[in-house]
Amino acid sequence: MNFLNAMPGEIALAGIIVALLLLDFIIKENKAVIGWTFTVLMAALMVYVAAFKTEATLLNGAYVSDGLSWISQVMILLAASLTGLLSVQSVKTGKKFTGAYYILLACSTLGLMFLVSSKELITLYIGLELATVSLYALAAIYKTDDSSTEAGIKYLILGAISSAILLFGISLIYGITRTTYIDGVMAYTSQSPVGPIFVIALIMTLLGAGFKLSMVPMHLWTPDVYQGAPTPVTAFISVASKAAGFIFAIRLFSYMFVRLDYIWVPLLSIIALLTMTVGNLMAIPQKNVKRLLAYSTISQAGYILVGFVGASVIGISSVIFYLLAYTVTNIAAFAVVTAFSKATGSDNLDDYAGLAQKEPLLALLFMLSLLSLAGIPPLAGFVGKFYLFYSAMQKGYVWLVVAAALNSTISLYYYLLILKQMYIFDRKKEFPKIKIDFSVKIVLIFTMIVIFIMGIFPGPVLDLTTDIAQSLFFK
Amino acid sequence: MITLAHYVILSAILFGIGIFGVLTRRNAIGILMSIELLFNAVNINMVAFSRFLTPDGAYGELFTIFIITVAAAESILGLAIILAIYRNRKVLNADEMNLMKW
């Protein structure tokens, strides 16, 4: 099989990384050009990957281009180009590091694209590490800023520990099944009974994968990293890295361990419950908007885990649909935060008081994205949540659905706290007029259109995700 | 006679020591060293499984080379960030890196 035909997106992206390096070398003064180049190339690559879907298997099944990897690569490239747009006019790294910033972002995107298409544990691990190591550096990119470096080191230490746990689990799986291919492990689990060591290995891989999803025992890094990292990087971590993490989890659990669902489904249902409850309860007292959104993404991860518990095809389909909706919604929320903190230099919730009087449009957009996160119709988040809970209902997890619905209500409380600040309270401090940059405007317009389209006409997207989920199980 | 079980037990002990070190060390560099122990525990496992169970394929050895490379990259980045923090704030202990909590 020809590599160039099978993975054109990845090869083009590797070329883009080299091109950005050269560009950084050539351009001495106007470094913003690199950011725009990155954004435009990512958008172009996304259109290309979306338009020319490839179906291929490489290296004896270690690397595949299938429907699942196709839609997640489109999602990752979309997130990368939107992050590029958020960064161009607001990330102030100085001339020396602007090139490094976009190159690291591109490397991370490449790693995530490898992660979603590999079906072999070594390849999977390399993709995962390429993505996360670049993100550690990105989180600490403001190297004279105390909170940015602190976010970087916390992310790195906790990330390294969790990848060591994942690796230990993988090594045990390799020792038991004598293969590192996902298909091989699946064949082993369907033929032979599994012992306690295999269960330990499964739990360790669950915990290791849970780091990227900010699943509850592994969620401790999330608030600190989200608060300390530059806001566009936070948006990228919360969207692209998390989406790829969920695709990784689909490959591991809904595919590789599908025969062992009697072990991991009860476990995951409890973890889902804990994740959403902890995320929501911890979000309520937060005073920093980025930190609040961090806890809100933890609880969102809990809702998505409900989809894993649910019936197989509709569960996977609803997970992919929700990831799409969540990607655009969260980027929209972080776009508003970026614009606000660029103009005022603050992320404090109290400083959002009276935003609606001064900046009605910005406040309205923030309200729409928060309501979509909370799952209010007719926005995209509502349809996504509905299908997630529906899939868990199909399998009879009524208690989990009830708990998730209650949690949605709790989440509405702290989203409404932000709205109360913006719409009811008066301005306490005077801030300069917020000028929304051209690039951030594009992001806001695009994400709002997608949120409304996915909320009002979810049919075509749902058909697409259902097809993909079916092709995963019935070849 | 050293059997596979010896290697696996050694690796499990090393992993336990690594986890203990990660949890109890205060110095950030000490934590990075404990993380190295975790990765090396995995490496012992991989090489032993590869030697005893799949002698005709080199998956375990391959995986080990990749793990060593990635672990090196990770610790270099970690040291660089620790150095940046030390220059800014003269802090090396992990429990003093507490600008953000809860």
Side-chain angles (χ1 to χ4, degrees):
Chain A
M1 188 73 214
N2 190 345
F3 275 83
L4 201 58
N5 293 332
M7 41 195 282
E10 290 88 332
I11 291 175
L13 186 50
I16 289 173
I17 294 171
V18 179
L20 287 173
L21 267 167
L22 289 176
L23 206 61
D24 185 37
F25 187 64
I26 296 165
I27 297 172
K28 294 278 182 246
E29 285 308 310
N30 192 7
K31 292 282 191 186
V33 174
I34 301 175
W36 285 110
T37 318
F38 171 82
T39 310
V40 171
L41 285 176
M42 286 298 141
L45 195 58
M46 182 196 79
V47 173
Y48 177 81
V49 171
F52 300 97
K53 186 177 169 189
T54 52
E55 294 275 352
T57 310
L58 289 170
L59 308 168
N60 302 327
Y63 199 89
V64 290
S65 305
D66 56 2
L68 186 64
S69 71
W70 171 73
I71 196 156
S72 38
Q73 287 188 347
V74 171
M75 208 153 38
I76 289 160
L77 287 168
L78 172 70
S81 59
L82 293 178
T83 311
L85 278 175
L86 288 185
S87 314
V88 242
Q89 288 174 294
S90 50
V91 172
K92 297 276 173 269
T93 45
K95 276 191 191 126
K96 216 170 159 187
F97 298 111
T98 315
Y101 178 86
Y102 293 103
I103 292 161
L104 284 171
L105 210 52
C107 282
S108 182
T109 313
L110 181 63
L112 296 174
M113 281 172 74
F114 276 126
L115 176 62
V116 294
S117 352
S118 38
K119 273 179 84 176
E120 197 262 352
L121 295 170
I122 304 176
T123 325
L124 233 132
Y125 171 70
I126 298 302
L128 181 79
E129 288 299 310
L130 178 58
T132 37
V133 172
S134 317
L135 285 177
Y136 303 150
L138 274 178
I141 195 95
Y142 291 151
K143 68 170 193 174
T144 49
D145 179 65
D146 287 348
S147 48
S148 174
T149 46
E150 190 177 314
I153 193 70
K154 282 179 174 168
Y155 195 13
L156 186 138
I157 287 176
L158 292 171
I161 294 170
S162 67
S163 68
I165 293 174
L166 174 72
L167 278 175
F168 203 82
I170 288 178
S171 78
L172 291 178
I173 290 174
Y174 168 59
I176 295 164
T177 64
R178 305 182 184 199
T179 177
T180 53
Y181 288 86
I182 286 184
D183 288 325
V185 178
M186 191 167 114
Y188 177 89
T189 53
S190 51
Q191 282 156 11
S192 344
V194 297
I197 305 283
F198 201 95
V199 177
I200 293 174
L202 192 153
I203 292 172
M204 285 181 115
T205 28
L206 178 67
L207 289 178
F211 173 77
K212 282 207 96 75
L213 322 180
S214 52
M215 201 178 76
V216 136
M218 314 298 278
H219 72 290
L220 294 165
W221 60 279
T222 318
D224 289 351
V225 173
Y226 279 35
Q227 186 184 350
T231 315
V233 176
T234 308
F236 190 77
I237 294 175
S238 78
V239 167
S241 147
K242 188 171 271 192
F246 275 107
I247 305 297
F248 173 50
I250 288 177
R251 288 233 192 265
L252 282 187
F253 293 98
S254 306
Y255 189 76
M256 184 164 92
F257 291 140
V258 71
R259 310 259 183 241
L260 304 177
D261 55 358
Y262 59 94
I263 300 171
W264 61 261
V265 165
L267 197 66
L268 210 59
S269 62
I270 293 166
I271 288 176
L273 174 66
L274 279 176
T275 306
M276 47 200 177
T277 317
V278 169
N280 280 328
L281 292 182
M282 294 294 285
I284 292 172
Q286 297 307 323
K287 288 287 165 219
N288 183 300
V289 172
K290 277 161 85 179
R291 212 173 170 77
L292 193 148
L293 285 175
Y295 281 110
S296 121
T297 60
I298 294 176
S299 68
Q300 302 285 336
Y303 304 138
I304 301 177
L305 288 176
V306 174
F308 280 84
V309 173
S312 53
V313 170
I314 187 164
I316 302 301
S317 154
S318 65
V319 167
I320 301 170
F321 184 90
Y322 196 78
L323 282 175
L324 283 167
Y326 166 82
T327 302
V328 284
T329 314
N330 230 28
I331 288 262
F334 277 110
V336 176
V337 176
T338 308
F340 185 85
S341 73
K342 190 196 174 192
T344 62
S346 158
D347 290 325
N348 275 335
L349 190 52
D350 292 339
D351 294 339
Y352 279 71
L355 189 70
Q357 301 155 8
K358 287 281 162 76
E359 314 285 342
L361 186 66
L362 205 60
L364 179 72
L365 294 175
F366 204 22
M367 178 173 84
L368 286 175
S369 46
L370 290 178
L371 289 182
S372 175
L373 282 177
I376 302 289
L379 302 163
F382 167 71
V383 185
K385 257 185 200 172
F386 180 81
Y387 277 98
L388 282 175
F389 298 168
Y390 173 71
S391 77
M393 268 315 239
Q394 291 268 307
K395 218 159 169 208
Y397 276 88
V398 182
W399 64 271
L400 189 61
V401 175
V402 170
L406 285 176
N407 262 296
S408 276
T409 323
I410 302 176
S411 76
L412 197 57
Y413 172 71
Y414 59 83
Y415 292 132
L416 288 178
L417 280 184
I418 306 182
L419 298 190
K420 190 170 86 175
Q421 286 282 351
M422 292 194 303
Y423 280 89
I424 294 176
F425 290 156
D426 284 329
R427 181 138 282 211
K428 294 182 188 106
K429 284 188 250 173
E430 270 315 306
F431 286 118
K433 178 101 181 109
I434 297 173
K435 184 179 154 293
I436 309 178
D437 290 322
F438 170 66
S439 54
V440 178
K441 257 183 213 157
I442 302 176
V443 174
L444 285 170
I445 293 169
F446 177 81
T447 48
M448 284 304 148
I449 292 172
V450 178
I451 288 173
F452 273 103
I453 289 179
M454 281 183 75
I456 298 170
F457 308 107
V461 187
L462 265 174
D463 290 346
L464 190 70
T465 55
T466 312
D467 278 352
I468 288 165
Q470 266 167 353
S471 71
L472 197 65
F473 291 104
F474 316 105
K475 288 248 165 68
Chain B
M1 181 63 195
I2 296 176
T3 59
L4 178 60
H6 290 91
Y7 287 104
V8 177
I9 290 168
L10 171 68
S11 144
I13 291 172
L14 204 58
F15 197 81
I17 294 174
I19 289 282
F20 181 76
V22 162
L23 295 176
T24 53
R25 284 269 147 194
R26 288 183 70 217
N27 191 305
I29 296 174
I31 295 178
L32 282 187
M33 287 161 69
S34 312
I35 289 172
E36 286 303 304
L37 282 187
L38 295 178
F39 282 118
N40 286 333
V42 177
N43 286 341
I44 290 176
N45 244 352
M46 287 286 182
V47 175
F49 285 144
S50 186
R51 170 79 180 72
F52 283 92
L53 300 177
T54 53
D56 46 341
Y59 297 114
E61 282 93 343
L62 244 175
F63 210 152
T64 307
I65 292 170
F66 277 118
I67 293 171
I68 292 172
T69 320
V70 170
E74 244 164 14
S75 25
I76 288 166
L77 188 58
L79 287 175
I81 299 175
I82 290 172
L83 195 63
I85 293 177
Y86 186 72
R87 282 196 183 134
N88 292 343
R89 286 161 57 193
K90 299 277 176 276
V91 164
L92 259 185
N93 283 343
D95 49 358
E96 288 166 38
M97 297 176 190
N98 56 1
L99 284 180
M100 297 170 285
K101 47 189 168 185
W102 295 110

